[in-house]
Amino acid sequence: MSARKLAVIVLAAGQGTRMKSKLPKVLHGLAGKSMLAHVLSGVEQLSPDQVVVVVGPDAPAVEKAAAPHRVVVQHDRLGTGHAVREAFSALAGFCDAGDQADILVIFGDTPLIRSATFEKMVARRRAADGPVLLGLAFRPKDAGRYGRVRLDAQGRVAGIVEFADASDAEKAIDLCNAGILLGDGPTVCRLIHQLDNNNAQGEYYLPVIFDFAYAEGLDTRAVEASEEEVMGVNSRQELAAAEQVLQQRLRNEAMAQGVTLIDPASTWLSTDTVFGRDIIIEPSVFIGPGVTIADDVTLKAFSHIEGANIAEGAVIGPYARLRPGTEIKAGGKVGNFVETKNAVLGEGAKVNHLSYIGDAEIGARANIGAGTITCNYDGYNKWKTVIGEEAFIGSNTALVAPVTVGAGAIVGAGSTLTKAVEKDAIAVVRGRLVEKAGGGASFRAGRQKIKDQKTAEQNAEKKG
C-alpha cells in the first residue's frame, strides 16, 4: 500500500466577495505568507506525486502563487464538485480503473490544518483495513449551520447532510463536515462524475459522493480534527481570528525551542522565523518574514524586524527597525530609533541612537554616533558606505555615499563627509565659526522694533 501514488487537489477558485478586496481571497496573508502558501506547505510535507491548484478565471496572481504546481482554471464556478472534476484533466494515472492512487481534496482558504492531520488521514487510508473514502470532520462548540456527518452503527459515514436539508434529529448531530476528503483515486473520480446540479444553487456538491459511496456498500469513514484547525477564512473578521490562532501556535513553538517571550500576546512572529536558544524578546516586538535569530540575542521592546540575520549575543532596540538585507554580526548593537537596510554590522559594532544605516558595511567594533545618516540615494541610484573596523563616527554626521572611512579613523561630530578618510585619520568637515560681539542683542532689538511698528499700524486701522 505504501507504493500508492498521491495527488492533492487544492480548491482556490473562490471569489471571496466577503473579503471586500481586489486581492484574491487565498492570497490574503497570515504570519508573513498567503493562506494558499500555508495550505501548499502543509500538503507538501506529504511528498505528493501531483498537486493541482484549481483557480478562477482571470486570476494570474493566484496562478503565480501556486507555482511550481499545476494549475487548472475553473471557468464556470459551479460548486466544489465541479471544481474537482475540472482538476481531473491534470491527473493522468489517478482516475482510471486499476490505478494505484489516492486523491486528497482540500481548500485554499483553510490554512490552519496541520501537516500531522493530513498525515493521519493518509495513514488511515493506507492501513490494511483502510476505508475507500475518508472525510475530515470536527465537533464545534456550536454546530450552527455546518453540514452534519451521519454515522451508522458501525461508525461508517452514511452521508453528509446540509443544515438547510437536515431534520431535527440530524441537526442534533454534533459531528460536522470540514469538506476535506481523501479516497481511492478511481473511486473518487467515478463518484464525482455521478454528481448533478439539480438544486436551488445549480451547483455540484462534493460531499454528496459520501452518500453515493455508502449506498454502494463502500467503507466510508471520518477522521476528526479540532474546530480550530478546520477554520475557513471568508471575511476580514475570520482572517483576524485565524491570525490569532496561528500566532499563538508560533509563540508556543518559539518558547518550546528556548525563546523567552516576556509578553507573548504582544509578540508577532512569522512562520519562517529561525530561532536559536536563550533569546529574550521584550513586549511589542514584530518579526516579519525572512528573519534568523541566533543564540543569546535580546530584542528590546517595540522593535520591527524583517529580512534580517542577527548573530549570537546581539542586542536590538528598543524602537529599532531592521529592514531586509540587514545582517548583525555577533555582539552587534542597534539601539533606539535606529533604522537599517541592506547593511552589515560587524562583530561588536554599535549604532546606538537615532541613525539611518542603509546600503552600508560597518566594520567590527566600529561606533556610530547618534544622528548619523548614510546618504545612500541620489534620486536615481543607491550607493554604498564602507566604514572600517574600530572607526568612530561622531554624532550628527552625514556620510554621502559612495564613501569609505578607513579602519580606526575618527570623523568629528557634525561632519558632512563626501570623500574617503584614510585609516587611523581624523576628519572634521564643518563650516567656519563667525562670531559678532553683541550681535544677538542688536538682532532682538531690531526685531522688536519691527513688531512694535506693526502693532501700532494694526491699532490705528481698528480705530479708523
Side-chain angles (χ1 to χ4, degrees), residues 158-332:
I160 296 172
V161 58
E162 297 300 319
F163 177 83
D165 301 322
S167 65
D168 289 342
E170 289 169 333
K171 289 177 181 177
I173 297 172
D174 66 350
L175 187 63
C176 296
N177 177 37
I180 292 159
L181 63 84
L182 171 67
D184 172 69
T187 303
V188 170
C189 295
R190 178 176 59 80
L191 295 176
I192 284 179
H193 278 104
Q194 295 177 23
L195 294 173
D196 62 48
N197 63 341
N198 295 325
N199 52 65
Q201 299 299 320
E203 295 184 352
Y204 298 86
Y205 294 135
L206 180 62
V208 176
I209 70 170
F210 280 91
D211 298 75
F212 294 164
Y214 186 77
E216 292 183 8
L218 301 177
D219 194 12
T220 53
R221 301 285 173 168
V223 167
E224 292 190 37
S226 67
E227 180 180 8
E228 176 184 278
E229 275 194 86
V230 300
M231 179 190 302
V233 176
N234 296 291
S235 66
R236 305 278 185 166
Q237 293 88 341
E238 291 172 351
L239 184 69
E243 182 74 55
Q244 290 288 352
V245 171
L246 187 54
Q247 287 297 328
Q248 191 56 50
R249 285 186 189 175
L250 295 173
R251 294 162 187 155
N252 289 338
E253 290 169 5
M255 289 185 285
Q257 293 173 25
V259 178
T260 294
L261 303 181
I262 293 178
D263 181 20
S266 71
T267 303
W268 292 81
L269 307 174
S270 289
T271 54
D272 63 350
T273 307
V274 178
F275 288 113
R277 293 184 177 181
D278 295 315
I279 295 165
I280 297 175
I281 300 180
E282 295 183 358
S284 299
V285 170
F286 180 92
I287 300 176
V291 175
T292 299
I293 305 170
D295 296 352
D296 302 309
V297 167
T298 298
L299 303 181
K300 291 184 175 292
F302 295 99
S303 293
H304 188 289
I305 302 165
E306 55 184 325
N309 293 325
I310 305 172
E312 60 273 10
V315 178
I316 309 299
Y319 294 98
R321 184 183 182 194
L322 274 54
R323 292 169 58 192
T326 294
E327 185 172 354
I328 310 299
K329 300 291 188 180

